Amino acid sequence: MEQDSQTLHGDGISAVIVGQGAELVSLQDANGFEFLWQAGPEWRRHSPVLFPIVGRLKGDQLRHRGRTYPMTQHGFARDKPFTWAERGPRSCTLVLTDDADTRAHYPFAFRLAVTYTLDRQQLGVILEVANTGDEPLPASIGAHPAFNWPLLPELPKEAYRLTFAEAEPAPIRRLKDGLLLPARQPTSIEGKTLALSERLFDEDAVILDRPASTSVRYAADRGPAIEMSWQGTKELGIWSKPGGAPFLCIEPWHGIASPADFDGEFSDKPGVMLIEPGAKRSLSYWISLEQGTRQPPSR
């Protein structure tokens, strides 16, 4: 049986990827410090790949040409075994293609490739969707990495903040029962800074549907930090499970949950990209690790 995980080693960084869902399950620095959430009881995932939808569809149903297909939140890719297309010491590529099971939920031909590459304390990820069929392919795709929050156990969660590359004054979107509320809400971001607290997620994810930034830094005043950057995306989700879960998700997306009042054709859903036959679309993101100081300051 083929080994179903791959450990990558770079300069000052290591990552573990599993074949199930093509999921990143560990991200450590040279000292073995773990940055990634380890799938505890609060949430049993680490960094799922979201495809062919991001968020939920109304009634968990995909509508196409007068038929409905069952489609659960965030799609099926995160629960499917991928095939290892390439695997090396610093990079690997995993592939999922349509089959009878996927077509029962999503009646389209596709090839989804996920590539992980390590370089100089940075992990790069490419999510590429190819249309292998003969009609336009409606799809959304997104990343959902979860990081330990706090990164340093002795620090309070409120010591952490997100600092965006640009000011983010635009209103945000919120969800109810997993569907997009119609009205935009005032942002909690002050200038470039979002102060983190558990109460921020009482109303589910914070969604920037038109972010000005293409990077954000997750850090406290001391200790390890993370910088995430992205390309080819449209939206950014920030989420932690309400009730005190010790992780923070920073999620670049090309797609978004269905508006609460939308039950039309999937290809007409806001946020869906249409990929022509033979064409490809990709989303990329990078996670850079900063070690920082880990010892409490002397008194």
Side-chain angles (χ1 to χ4, degrees), residues 42-43 74 144-147 149 162 174-175 200-201 203-207 237-242 245 247-251 253:
E42 296 89 348
W43 192 54
H74 292 323
H144 201 315
F147 304 106
W149 180 34
L162 294 180
R174 287 287 200 173
L175 305 170
L200 185 63
F201 305 105
E203 300 177 58
D204 210 314
V206 174
I207 300 171
I238 304 160
W239 177 72
S240 185
K241 191 171 184 178
F247 63 82
L248 178 76
C249 296
I250 305 172
E251 310 175 40
W253 302 333

Side-chain angles (χ1 to χ4, degrees), residues 109-279:
F110 68 88
R111 180 183 187 271
L112 170 61
V114 184
T115 298
Y116 294 91
T117 303
L118 288 186
D119 182 35
R120 296 184 183 178
Q121 293 189 278
Q122 178 175 269
L123 171 68
V125 186
I126 302 173
L127 310 178
E128 181 185 81
V129 185
N131 183 350
T132 58
D134 54 10
E135 63 175 314
L137 176 67
S140 291
I141 190 166
H144 201 315
F147 304 106
N148 290 319
W149 180 34
L151 289 170
L152 273 188
E154 66 266 25
L155 290 181
K157 285 183 169 182
E158 291 75 16
Y160 286 83
R161 60 191 171 273
L162 294 180
T163 305
F164 293 87
E166 306 291 340
E168 296 288 351
I172 60 171
R173 307 301 296 267
R174 287 287 200 173
L175 305 170
K176 183 174 177 58
D177 300 324
L179 300 176
L180 198 66
L181 289 170
R184 289 178 164 84
Q185 299 185 17
T187 183
S188 301
I189 303 169
E190 296 186 2
K192 298 180 179 181
T193 303
L194 177 61
L196 294 174
S197 71
E198 290 179 355
R199 297 305 304 271
L200 185 63
F201 305 105
D202 285 352
E203 300 177 58
D204 210 314
V206 174
I207 300 171
L208 284 66
D209 65 346
R210 42 189 178 186
S213 302
T214 56
S215 67
V216 67
R217 188 169 184 268
Y218 165 47
D221 287 336
R222 64 180 179 87
I226 291 167
E227 178 150 338
M228 273 194 71
S229 56
W230 50 86
Q231 187 175 15
T233 67
K234 293 291 188 181
E235 297 88 10
L236 183 73
I238 304 160
W239 177 72
S240 185
K241 191 171 184 178
F247 63 82
L248 178 76
C249 296
I250 305 172
E251 310 175 40
W253 302 333
H254 196 305
I256 200 166
S258 287
D261 59 352
F262 179 84
D263 55 8
E265 288 278 300
F266 180 63
S267 59
D268 295 329
K269 189 182 84 67
V272 166
M273 54 187 171
L274 291 175
I275 307 171
E276 293 301 316

Side-chain angles (χ1 to χ4, degrees), residues 272-299:
V272 166
M273 54 187 171
L274 291 175
I275 307 171
E276 293 301 316
K280 300 176 182 178
R281 296 285 291 275
S282 66
L283 173 162
S284 303
Y285 69 98
W286 297 265
I287 304 171
S288 299
L289 306 185
E290 301 175 21
Q291 293 186 352
T293 58
R294 299 207 181 119
Q295 299 301 318
S298 58
R299 296 182 180 274

